[in-house]
Coordinates of all heavy atoms in Angstrom, one line a residue:
R163 N 12.6 -11.3 11.7 CA 12.8 -11.8 13.0 C 11.6 -12.5 13.6 O 10.5 -12.3 13.1 CB 13.2 -10.6 13.9 CG 14.5 -10.0 13.6 CD 14.8 -8.8 14.5 NE 14.1 -7.7 14.1 CZ 14.1 -6.5 14.7 NH1 14.9 -6.3 15.8 NH2 13.4 -5.5 14.3
G164 N 11.8 -13.2 14.6 CA 10.7 -13.9 15.3 C 10.8 -13.7 16.8 O 11.7 -13.0 17.3
H165 N 9.8 -14.3 17.5 CA 9.9 -14.2 19.0 C 11.2 -14.8 19.5 O 11.8 -14.3 20.4 CB 8.6 -14.8 19.6 CG 8.6 -14.8 21.1 ND1 8.4 -13.6 21.8 CD2 8.8 -15.8 22.0 CE1 8.5 -13.9 23.1 NE2 8.7 -15.2 23.2
D166 N 11.5 -15.9 18.9 CA 12.8 -16.6 19.2 C 13.7 -16.5 18.0 O 13.3 -16.9 16.9 CB 12.5 -18.1 19.5 CG 13.8 -18.8 19.9 OD1 14.9 -18.2 19.9 OD2 13.7 -20.0 20.2
N167 N 14.8 -15.8 18.2 CA 15.6 -15.5 17.0 C 16.1 -16.7 16.2 O 16.2 -16.7 15.0 CB 16.9 -14.7 17.5 CG 17.6 -14.0 16.3 OD1 17.0 -13.4 15.5 ND2 18.9 -14.2 16.3
D168 N 16.2 -17.9 16.9 CA 16.6 -19.1 16.2 C 15.5 -19.6 15.3 O 15.8 -20.3 14.3 CB 17.0 -20.2 17.2 CG 18.3 -19.9 18.0 OD1 19.1 -19.1 17.4 OD2 18.5 -20.4 19.1
Q169 N 14.3 -19.2 15.5 CA 13.1 -19.6 14.7 C 12.7 -18.6 13.7 O 11.7 -18.7 13.1 CB 12.0 -20.0 15.6 CG 12.3 -21.1 16.7 CD 12.7 -22.4 16.0 OE1 12.2 -22.8 15.0 NE2 13.7 -23.0 16.6
S170 N 13.5 -17.5 13.6 CA 13.1 -16.5 12.7 C 13.2 -16.9 11.2 O 13.9 -17.9 10.9 CB 14.0 -15.3 12.9 OG 15.4 -15.6 12.4
N171 N 12.4 -16.3 10.4 CA 12.4 -16.6 8.9 C 13.8 -16.4 8.3 O 14.2 -17.2 7.5 CB 11.4 -15.7 8.2 CG 10.0 -16.0 8.5 OD1 9.7 -17.1 8.9 ND2 9.1 -15.1 8.2
F172 N 14.5 -15.4 8.8 CA 15.8 -15.1 8.2 C 16.8 -16.2 8.5 O 17.4 -16.7 7.6 CB 16.3 -13.8 8.9 CG 17.7 -13.4 8.5 CD1 18.1 -13.2 7.2 CD2 18.7 -13.3 9.5 CE1 19.4 -12.9 6.8 CE2 20.0 -12.9 9.2 CZ 20.3 -12.7 7.8
L173 N 16.9 -16.7 9.7 CA 17.9 -17.8 10.0 C 17.4 -19.1 9.5 O 18.2 -19.9 9.0 CB 18.1 -17.9 11.6 CG 18.9 -16.8 12.2 CD1 19.0 -17.0 13.7 CD2 20.3 -16.7 11.6
Q174 N 16.1 -19.3 9.5 CA 15.6 -20.6 8.9 C 15.8 -20.7 7.4 O 16.1 -21.7 6.9 CB 14.1 -20.8 9.2 CG 13.8 -21.0 10.7 CD 14.5 -22.3 11.2 OE1 14.4 -23.3 10.6 NE2 15.2 -22.2 12.4
L175 N 15.7 -19.5 6.8 CA 16.0 -19.5 5.3 C 17.5 -19.7 5.0 O 17.9 -20.4 4.1 CB 15.6 -18.2 4.7 CG 15.6 -18.0 3.2 CD1 14.7 -19.1 2.6 CD2 15.1 -16.7 2.8
L176 N 18.4 -19.2 5.9 CA 19.8 -19.4 5.7 C 20.1 -20.9 6.0 O 20.9 -21.5 5.2 CB 20.6 -18.6 6.7 CG 20.7 -17.1 6.4 CD1 21.4 -16.4 7.6 CD2 21.5 -16.9 5.1
K177 N 19.5 -21.5 7.0 CA 19.7 -22.9 7.2 C 19.2 -23.8 6.1 O 19.7 -24.8 5.8 CB 19.0 -23.3 8.5 CG 19.7 -22.8 9.8 CD 19.0 -23.1 11.0 CE 19.6 -22.5 12.3 NZ 18.9 -22.8 13.5
L178 N 18.1 -23.3 5.4 CA 17.6 -24.1 4.3 C 18.6 -24.0 3.1 O 18.9 -25.1 2.5 CB 16.3 -23.4 3.8 CG 15.6 -24.1 2.6 CD1 15.2 -25.5 2.9 CD2 14.4 -23.3 2.2
H179 N 19.2 -22.9 2.9 CA 20.3 -22.8 1.9 C 21.5 -23.7 2.3 O 22.3 -24.2 1.5 CB 20.8 -21.4 1.7 CG 19.8 -20.6 0.9 ND1 19.6 -20.8 -0.4 CD2 19.0 -19.5 1.2 CE1 18.7 -19.9 -0.9 NE2 18.3 -19.1 0.1
G180 N 21.7 -23.8 3.7 CA 22.8 -24.6 4.2 C 22.7 -26.1 3.8 O 23.7 -26.8 3.9
E181 N 21.5 -26.5 3.5 CA 21.4 -27.9 3.1 C 22.1 -28.2 1.8 O 22.6 -29.4 1.6 CB 19.9 -28.3 3.0 CG 19.1 -28.3 4.3 CD 17.7 -28.6 4.1 OE1 17.3 -29.0 3.0 OE2 16.9 -28.5 5.1
S182 N 22.2 -27.2 1.0 CA 23.0 -27.4 -0.3 C 24.4 -26.8 -0.2 O 25.2 -27.1 -1.1 CB 22.2 -26.8 -1.5 OG 21.9 -25.4 -1.2
D183 N 24.6 -25.9 0.7 CA 25.9 -25.3 0.9 C 26.3 -25.3 2.4 O 26.0 -24.4 3.1 CB 25.9 -23.9 0.4 CG 27.2 -23.2 0.4 OD1 28.2 -23.9 0.8 OD2 27.3 -22.0 0.1
P184 N 27.0 -26.4 2.8 CA 27.3 -26.5 4.2 C 28.1 -25.4 4.8 O 28.2 -25.2 6.0 CB 28.1 -27.8 4.3 CG 27.7 -28.6 3.1 CD 27.4 -27.5 2.0
S185 N 28.8 -24.6 4.0 CA 29.6 -23.5 4.4 C 28.8 -22.5 5.2 O 29.3 -21.8 6.1 CB 30.4 -22.9 3.3 OG 29.5 -22.3 2.4
I186 N 27.5 -22.3 4.8 CA 26.6 -21.4 5.4 C 26.4 -21.8 6.9 O 26.4 -21.0 7.8 CB 25.3 -21.3 4.7 CG1 25.6 -20.8 3.2 CG2 24.3 -20.3 5.4 CD1 24.3 -20.8 2.4
L187 N 26.1 -23.1 7.1 CA 25.9 -23.6 8.4 C 27.1 -23.4 9.3 O 27.0 -23.1 10.5 CB 25.5 -25.1 8.3 CG 24.3 -25.5 7.6 CD1 24.1 -27.0 7.5 CD2 23.1 -24.8 8.2
K188 N 28.3 -23.6 8.7 CA 29.5 -23.4 9.4 C 29.7 -21.9 9.8 O 30.1 -21.6 10.9 CB 30.7 -23.8 8.6 CG 31.9 -24.3 9.4 CD 32.9 -25.0 8.5 CE 34.0 -25.7 9.3 NZ 34.9 -26.4 8.5
W189 N 29.3 -21.0 8.9 CA 29.3 -19.6 9.2 C 28.4 -19.2 10.3 O 28.8 -18.4 11.2 CB 28.9 -18.8 7.9 CG 28.8 -17.3 8.0 CD1 27.8 -16.6 8.5 CD2 29.9 -16.4 7.7 NE1 28.1 -15.3 8.5 CE2 29.3 -15.1 8.0 CE3 31.2 -16.5 7.3 CZ2 30.1 -14.0 7.8 CZ3 31.9 -15.4 7.1 CH2 31.4 -14.1 7.4
L190 N 27.2 -19.8 10.4 CA 26.3 -19.5 11.5 C 26.7 -20.1 12.8 O 26.2 -19.6 13.8 CB 24.9 -20.2 11.1 CG 24.2 -19.6 9.9 CD1 22.9 -20.3 9.7 CD2 23.9 -18.1 10.1
E191 N 27.7 -21.0 12.8 CA 28.2 -21.5 14.1 C 29.3 -20.6 14.7 O 29.7 -20.8 15.9 CB 28.8 -22.9 13.9 CG 27.8 -24.0 13.5 CD 28.5 -25.3 13.1 OE1 29.7 -25.3 13.1 OE2 27.7 -26.2 12.8
R192 N 29.7 -19.6 14.0 CA 30.7 -18.6 14.5 C 30.1 -17.9 15.7 O 28.9 -17.6 15.8 CB 31.1 -17.6 13.4 CG 31.8 -18.3 12.2 CD 32.0 -17.4 11.1 NE 32.9 -16.3 11.4 CZ 33.5 -15.5 10.5 NH1 33.4 -15.8 9.3 NH2 34.3 -14.5 10.9
K193 N 31.0 -17.5 16.6 CA 30.5 -16.8 17.8 C 30.5 -15.3 17.6 O 29.8 -14.6 18.3 CB 31.5 -17.1 19.0 CG 31.4 -18.6 19.5 CD 32.2 -18.8 20.7 CE 32.1 -20.2 21.2 NZ 32.9 -20.5 22.4
Q194 N 31.2 -14.8 16.6 CA 31.1 -13.4 16.3 C 31.4 -13.2 14.8 O 31.8 -14.1 14.1 CB 32.2 -12.6 17.1 CG 33.6 -13.0 16.8 CD 34.6 -12.1 17.5 OE1 34.2 -11.4 18.4 NE2 35.8 -12.1 17.1
D195 N 31.1 -11.9 14.4 CA 31.3 -11.6 12.9 C 30.4 -12.5 12.0 O 30.9 -12.8 10.9 CB 32.7 -11.6 12.5 CG 33.6 -10.5 13.2 OD1 32.9 -9.5 13.7 OD2 34.8 -10.7 13.3
K196 N 29.2 -12.8 12.5 CA 28.3 -13.6 11.6 C 27.5 -12.6 10.7 O 26.9 -13.1 9.7 CB 27.4 -14.4 12.4 CG 28.1 -15.6 13.2 CD 27.1 -16.5 13.8 CE 26.3 -15.9 14.9 NZ 25.4 -16.9 15.6
F197 N 27.3 -11.4 11.2 CA 26.6 -10.4 10.4 C 25.1 -10.8 10.2 O 24.6 -10.7 9.1 CB 27.2 -10.1 9.1 CG 28.6 -9.4 9.2 CD1 29.7 -10.2 9.3 CD2 28.7 -8.0 9.4 CE1 31.0 -9.6 9.4 CE2 30.0 -7.5 9.5 CZ 31.1 -8.2 9.6
T198 N 24.5 -11.3 11.3 CA 23.1 -11.7 11.2 C 22.3 -11.0 12.3 O 21.1 -11.3 12.4 CB 23.0 -13.2 11.3 OG1 23.6 -13.6 12.6 CG2 23.6 -13.9 10.2
S199 N 22.8 -10.1 13.1 CA 22.1 -9.5 14.2 C 21.0 -8.6 13.7 O 21.0 -8.2 12.5 CB 23.1 -8.8 15.1 OG 23.6 -7.7 14.5

Side-chain angles (χ1 to χ4, degrees):
R163 293 177 285 180
H165 179 70
D166 183 356
N167 195 43
D168 290 336
Q169 302 302 320
S170 67
N171 289 340
F172 174 58
L173 287 180
Q174 289 301 312
L175 190 58
L176 285 174
K177 290 177 181 178
L178 180 63
H179 284 294
E181 294 180 5
S182 57
D183 184 4
S185 64
I186 301 174
L187 299 178
K188 209 166 187 180
W189 177 275
L190 294 176
E191 292 173 359
R192 298 171 63 160
K193 292 185 179 179
Q194 65 175 14
D195 292 341
K196 292 190 293 186
F197 295 91
T198 58
S199 68

